[in-house]
Amino acid sequence: MSRYSAMLAAVALLWGASFLFIKVAVRELDPSTLILGRLGIAALTLALIVPLMLGGRATAAEIRSNAGWLLVVALVNTALPFWLLSWGETRIDSGLASIMQASVPIFNAVVAFGFFRDVRVTGARLLGVAIGFVGVALLVGAQPHGKVLGALAVVGMALCYAVGQLLAGRHLGHVPPPAVALATTAIAAIAATPAGLVQAPHHVPGWKTIASVIALGVPGTALAFLLFYAIIAGAGAAYAALVTYLIPPIALAYGAIFLDERFGAAAFGGLALILGGVALGSGVRLSRRTRVLPE
């Protein structure tokens, strides 16, 4: 497992840094423009890599035959949550956003309980869901009045990811993961184009902003997607899901070191409750063929 452990650590470092780069970029860019840049760069990168992995004709055939659900998953699992996270980080710290992101498995269990009977969580695991929700409520409730909407936007992101993962697992589980990554990223980039162009600044952004968008697009999205899917294929989705536990402390460290962010007892208490709830409430057995889409 050493190979996959290294890959998992790399994904956690990349996605943990994404919260930092988003926080830097939204200082100068509207969230819609940031998302357009991030997804556009990621889509172009994947368009160069994925056909080499699967073959151009095979990639095109997979996308054509599954276009409907790829469109739905692209909007629910990429375009909308990316925007909610970026908008939320205009109001709350990057580390706090990463803690709330860790609640995705909690929402996954809730959505599955209501709408996906084949992957329902029951019994003691429901207690884990309740504990996780207490952590989310603690974090949102601890925010000053002006930051509550930002916190709720990130909670909305977690809900979108939960719905998107379940839809992808049910309807796109048979599609090669690199093809899913390419198609959903490209579709989401197209969806973000109108608002991204309208909200674009009238000046050339600073180098830190440009570098942040590139970092989000190439390593933070395209490379991280490919690594994450490789982990799922080789070690299983349950192992890949461990990244949920690694991202918040990494993002908190990035925020404290590079953005001088500071976090109180509510943040760490919420983190403990969320991760504890995830550990107790998301113990559903996941086969190697289960597809889990990343944040």
Side-chain angles (χ1 to χ4, degrees):
M1 275 292 187
S2 59
R3 173 189 174 191
Y4 295 110
S5 296
M7 294 170 67
L8 191 72
V11 171
L13 289 170
L14 291 172
W15 281 342
S18 294
F19 295 89
L20 164 67
F21 290 125
I22 290 171
K23 190 66 176 181
V24 172
V26 294
R27 292 172 177 172
E28 196 171 1
L29 295 178
D30 183 89
S32 298
T33 303
L34 167 59
I35 295 311
L36 173 58
R38 176 182 183 178
L39 291 173
I41 292 171
L44 289 174
T45 303
L46 289 168
L48 295 174
I49 297 174
V50 173
L52 297 177
M53 299 173 64
L54 302 179
R57 291 184 179 180
T59 301
E62 291 287 357
I63 292 174
R64 281 196 303 269
S65 60
N66 298 279
W69 282 111
L70 286 169
L71 172 62
V72 172
V73 171
L75 297 178
V76 175
N77 198 70
T78 305
L80 182 56
F82 273 29
W83 185 87
L84 287 170
L85 174 59
S86 298
W87 188 85
E89 284 205 43
T90 65
R91 287 158 172 77
I92 65 174
D93 289 340
S94 65
L96 181 60
S98 74
I99 295 175
M100 292 180 175
Q101 168 272 333
S103 65
V104 171
I106 299 297
F107 285 101
N108 191 295
V110 171
V111 175
F113 183 82
F115 302 99
F116 293 79
R117 296 178 181 274
D118 53 328
V119 289
R120 274 188 172 186
V121 173
T122 57
R125 291 170 183 164
L126 288 177
L127 176 61
V129 173
I131 292 172
F133 265 116
V134 171
V136 173
L138 174 62
L139 289 173
V140 174
Q143 300 309 303
H145 178 71
K147 295 185 177 183
V148 170
L149 286 179
L152 289 175
V154 180
V155 172
M157 172 210 69
L159 177 60
C160 286
Y161 280 143
V163 174
Q165 288 176 7
L166 289 167
L167 289 174
R170 172 171 291 183
H171 299 288
L172 298 175
H174 61 287
V175 183
V180 176
L182 170 58
T184 54
T185 303
I187 293 169
I190 294 170
T193 297
L197 292 177
V198 169
Q199 299 294 331
H202 298 293
H203 62 279
V204 178
W207 71 267
K208 289 183 179 180
T209 300
I210 295 174
S212 294
V213 174
I214 294 173
L216 285 166
V218 180
T221 302
L223 178 59
F225 272 28
L226 294 175
L227 285 173
F228 191 75
Y229 288 135
I231 296 170
I232 291 174
Y239 186 79
L242 293 176
V243 74
T244 298
Y245 298 91
L246 301 177
I247 290 175
I250 292 172
L252 286 170
Y254 283 140
I257 294 170
F258 297 107
L259 299 176
D260 198 30
E261 294 179 350
R262 296 293 181 265
F263 305 95
F268 291 106
L271 174 61
L273 288 171
I274 290 172
L275 293 185
V278 169
L280 185 60
S282 63
V284 180
R285 289 183 177 272
L286 296 171
S287 71
R288 287 177 176 264
R289 296 189 62 81
T290 302
R291 303 302 184 191
V292 179
L293 294 181
E295 302 68 64

